[in-house]
Amino acid sequence: MTTYSHDPSHGQPVIAIIGGGVSGAAVAFHLLRGQRLRPGQLFIFEPRERLGAGLAYDSQDPAHRINVPAAKMSLLPDDIEHFQRWLKERDALAGDETAVAANGNLFPRRALFGRYINSMLQPYIDDGSVTHVADRATDVRRSGERWVIRGEGGRRVEADLLIIATSHPSPLPPQVLSRALDGHPRFIADPTRPDVLAAIRADDRVLVVGNGLTSADVIASLDLRGHKGPVTAISRHGLRSRGHAAAKQEPFGDFVSRPSRTALELLRRVRATIREAEGQGWSWHAVIDQVRAQGQDLWRAMPLQERRRVVRHLRPFWDVHRFRVAPQVEAVSEGAIRSGRLEVLAASVEAVTTSGGAIDCTLRLGRSAGSVDRQFDAVVVTTGPGHRGILETQGWIGALAEAGYLAIDATRLGLACNTASQALGADGALAPSLFISGPLARGTFGELMGLPEVVEHAVFVAGQVAAALADHEKRRQGRTEIGISAA
Ligand SMILES: Cc1cc2nc3c(=O)[nH]c(=O)nc-3n(C[C@H](O)[C@H](O)[C@H](O)COP(=O)(O)OP(=O)(O)OC[C@H]3O[C@@H](n4cnc5c(N)ncnc54)[C@H](O)[C@@H]3O)c2cc1C
């Protein structure tokens, strides 16, 4: 067993981050940008080979592209075009003829963004400031004033400060599907796992459950693999993730001078602002961009009950307008709809049976339109990460909740935390040395899913950790002085 622990003679506090996707890597990067740490002070548990990629940017599927233009996806919020320059300096888009959209925006393959984040952290890995513990954390406990983290492979780290940056758990497939289809060779419950679509044959009739960005990715990946069979994509409202504006626009409107106090008021204001924008020749994109930019202030101004209403009633509409499909990926779906190969329905799965390899589904159609029976050969679940089940997704997260250190947040979007991003237990008890970074903190911070917000939040968490380190140092010096005077 490898034990990583700080050298007590240095007396330096140890920081552990669980999850080395963009959130974990960005907290480490911004912490180290602000101050020097000794080797052995900062550990990141991440089972993936490279730090910085995470679920989103570890994909090697050439059909998967970033869905926000490269010019807005920077690790440096004060240098927003940094990634775009990084791409150009390396000629990283050579051979990818379709990376440039019609309006000039760059939408490179997602794996490139993972490489970019990794390259930014690499110097700190090389000089020992960051230790990548290439292991999945499976056991986390409080021991005295410290956190003891054990990995699946036997790694053990004792830390004074712990940051949870595990973000996206596996999807939670609807039970009606998993009950009937678990073990079926073409039931793809988690399409983010590498190469799972290889099980689908060229002429298979495919049901895609979910109509967001993952659904668009799956349709583009199937197309690239030469799939020719019919695809039915369903979601409760039949809404599909929308594309980007044809031309670049500045955010439009003001939602914070007099923030909406209710979900309904917010909806009315957004609609009125869209009418106003359209009157001036802009599109809804500019308004939604402004809601997004001001989203965290808006969220904070709303009482809890209204936040819950936003999640329950407005979220499906928000998600399809806010998360936009890359133009290259959108073109595949649009082409498939035009050719009649892709059908998009407002429906949910009511019943499922199998006969031989075939999958018989009863689909309940939306707007009380009754139900239809359809036969498929494959079912792909694209409902996205199962954040609302976060406490059940990993044993150690559940155990920390049981011990009173973690709780699901009141809107069920992730983990409860305060406005300093420190974790809160079910009874509101604060764990000052336990931080949440990334989308799991969005119940408190509001819009915190896309890369720009994730990076800004990581900068904030890095600042909080730096302050906790300074505090630790003050206490240590206090103890040393007492030690000296007592000697
Ligand atoms: C498929 C997908 C595509 C996306 N594309 C875009 C995009 O193009 N543009 C954009 O702006 N936003 C995009 N997003 C939004 C995304 O939330 C952020 O951009 C960002 O990637 C979030 O990174 P993260 O590190 O917080 O989470 P994640 O990427 O989920 O990383 C969490 C990491 O934690 C690790 N982990 C989990 N459990 C453990 C454990 N027990 N021990 C150790 N490690 C653990 C995982 O292996 C993973 O690498 C996308 C999201 C998804 C899901």
Side-chain angles (χ1 to χ4, degrees), residues 18-24 45-48 53-57 65-68 73 110 135-137 165-168 192 385 394 396 438-439 449-452 454:
I18 303 183
V22 175
S23 288
F45 278 80
E46 170 56 63
R48 291 175 205 270
L55 176 67
Y57 313 106
R65 293 184 178 274
I66 59 169
N67 51 49
V68 170
M73 292 207 15
R110 284 216 293 268
D135 205 356
R136 171 173 294 279
T166 55
S167 296
H168 300 310
T192 61
Q394 303 204 36
W396 61 272
M449 183 57 80
L451 192 278
V454 164

Side-chain angles (χ1 to χ4, degrees), residues 14-20 23-28 31 37 41-45 137 140 147 149 159-167 396 400 406 415 420-423 431-438 440-441 457-458 460-466 468-469:
V14 174
I15 305 138
I17 301 176
I18 303 183
S23 288
V27 170
L31 184 63
L37 294 178
Q41 257 195 285
L42 176 55
F43 297 89
I44 307 182
F45 278 80
V140 181
W147 301 97
I149 305 116
D160 301 275
L161 299 169
L162 175 61
I163 298 129
I164 298 178
T166 55
S167 296
W396 61 272
L400 285 181
L406 292 177
L415 293 171
S421 232
Q422 290 161 309
S433 57
L434 181 60
F435 294 86
I436 314 293
S437 187
L440 286 176
H457 187 246
F460 172 74
V461 172
Q464 299 298 310
V465 172
L469 287 177

Side-chain angles (χ1 to χ4, degrees), residues 208-387:
V208 176
V209 180
N211 256 328
L213 294 180
T214 310
S215 166
D217 277 350
V218 163
I219 290 160
S221 297
L222 285 173
D223 183 76
L224 196 67
R225 288 169 175 272
H227 179 254
K228 301 276 177 267
V231 178
T232 305
I234 61 168
S235 63
R236 209 167 283 277
H237 299 276
L239 301 166
R240 272 193 316 137
S241 281
R242 310 287 291 271
H244 290 264
K248 294 178 190 173
Q249 308 179 43
E250 289 304 314
F252 185 98
D254 170 16
F255 298 92
V256 288
S257 308
R258 277 185 310 106
S260 305
R261 301 281 298 164
T262 70
L264 185 61
E265 191 191 327
L266 175 62
L267 177 65
R268 286 184 177 142
R269 275 182 66 182
V270 171
R271 283 183 170 152
T273 312
I274 290 176
R275 282 195 295 276
E276 197 185 330
E278 286 173 347
Q280 296 181 31
W282 306 114
S283 69
W284 58 265
H285 302 81
V287 177
I288 297 297
D289 287 347
Q290 186 68 307
V291 179
R292 176 179 171 182
Q294 300 180 338
Q296 299 202 352
D297 293 331
L298 256 170
W299 187 254
R300 270 196 280 264
M302 242 181 224
L304 175 60
Q305 196 188 351
E306 292 301 320
R307 290 183 188 182
R308 286 189 172 131
R309 286 208 171 100
V310 169
V311 173
R312 197 171 333 123
H313 302 297
L314 303 188
R315 188 172 164 205
F317 302 92
W318 172 247
D319 281 355
V320 294
H321 289 90
R322 141 79 185 82
F323 301 111
R324 295 177 198 152
V325 191
Q328 301 87 339
V329 176
E330 186 187 19
V332 177
S333 295
E334 293 301 324
I337 289 175
R338 274 197 305 277
S339 69
R341 209 164 64 75
L342 170 62
E343 180 185 24
V344 177
L345 292 177
S348 54
V349 181
E350 192 171 62
V352 186
T353 54
T354 54
S355 49
I359 302 168
D360 292 296
C361 291
T362 303
L363 304 180
R364 169 158 294 283
L365 301 174
R367 298 175 202 99
S368 314
S371 55
V372 289
D373 293 326
R374 294 279 179 90
Q375 193 169 69
F376 301 99
D377 306 295
V379 174
V380 188
V381 180
T382 63
T383 47
H387 296 111

